Amino acid sequence: MSHPPISRYPVPDIAGLPDDIRARILEVQQKAGFVPNVFLGFAHRPDEARAFFAYHDALLLKEGGHLTKGEREMIIVATSGANNCLYCVVAHGAILRVCEKQPQLADQVATNYLKADITPRQKAMLGFALKVSNDAANIVEADFEALRAHGFDDEDIWDIGAITALFGLSNRMANLMSLRPNDEFYLMGRVPREKKA
């Protein structure tokens, strides 16, 4: 069976992309072993791709704070699930499984974080993220106090909100594009990686 296209918009040829975007895609391909379709989908508009990935990197690759890489991925998976974004649930679910070394975790977080095998601190974090995603106009000081009680400071709370907001954009653009998840993501973190000879 042939796959549908990865996006309803034209997907540029990597060789024809601006040097910086092509270099970024080739770097990701070298590290992951494949090119995640989000890079090709967003490359349809290079200036927007640069802006999106710059903000992505600022939030997800930053040093410091009290959020682990796995917790950042939990935020993405939980809010992407609430936004019905297939691409982000599948892609970031794979990253979450790899980070946390828990094959079942991403499915739990995407479907109902309250039933997931995570800590009360992480449940509070995801509850706040979902409020940012679905009801940001009603965030009040009590929401901040509840997170502070779990050891988050105001900068951590900014990070939770900013990751949620960026992926609100990502979820909507992925749905607009009908961005198809790479096949490779579905098994990542579910089955042991084959050892290279």
Side-chain angles (χ1 to χ4, degrees):
M1 181 177 103
S2 67
H3 284 300
I6 68 168
S7 174
R8 70 166 28 106
Y9 284 87
V11 175
D13 182 77
I14 294 173
L17 288 170
D19 291 346
D20 61 320
I21 295 176
R22 184 174 61 255
R24 170 78 185 257
I25 289 173
L26 294 175
E27 179 185 336
V28 169
Q29 182 179 34
Q30 176 74 28
K31 186 175 179 184
F34 65 97
V35 177
N37 289 342
V38 68
F39 288 93
L40 300 173
F42 271 95
H44 173 64
R45 290 196 173 181
D47 289 343
E48 291 172 39
R50 287 184 189 100
F52 176 80
F53 289 111
Y55 197 25
H56 171 279
D57 293 353
L59 291 172
L60 296 180
L61 303 180
K62 70 180 276 192
E63 300 292 327
H66 300 108
L67 298 180
T68 67
K69 182 164 177 46
E71 287 170 341
R72 292 169 197 274
E73 295 298 331
M74 284 180 204
I75 294 165
I76 297 165
V77 172
T79 58
S80 296
N83 289 328
N84 296 309
C85 180
L86 178 65
Y87 184 88
C88 292
V89 167
V90 172
H92 288 274
I95 299 168
L96 174 56
R97 289 190 299 272
V98 170
C99 286
E100 296 295 315
K101 297 177 177 49
Q102 291 179 270
Q104 75 285 359
L105 186 60
D107 297 330
Q108 295 172 351
V109 169
T111 305
N112 184 350
Y113 76 96
L114 292 170
K115 307 293 185 196
D117 296 325
I118 58 176
T119 66
R121 174 185 181 276
Q122 291 164 338
K123 288 179 182 177
M125 173 188 77
L126 295 181
F128 180 78
L130 286 163
K131 187 167 186 179
V132 171
S133 181
N134 302 326
D135 195 23
N138 288 309
I139 292 171
V140 294
E141 187 59 28
D143 297 311
F144 279 73
E145 289 167 7
L147 288 174
R148 290 182 193 122
H150 285 280
F152 295 104
D153 64 26
D154 286 0
E155 296 305 315
D156 300 323
I157 296 168
W158 176 294
D159 287 341
I160 296 166
I163 292 166
T164 299
L166 175 66
F167 279 86
L169 179 150
S170 183
N171 298 159
R172 286 158 179 83
M173 290 305 298
N175 279 327
L176 172 83
M177 289 187 265
S178 292
L179 195 59
R180 183 168 57 79
N182 301 69
D183 292 347
E184 291 89 344
F185 284 129
Y186 286 95
L187 292 182
M188 280 174 59
R190 293 189 195 275
V191 294
R193 284 179 80 167
E194 292 179 17
K195 299 273 191 256
K196 292 184 178 174

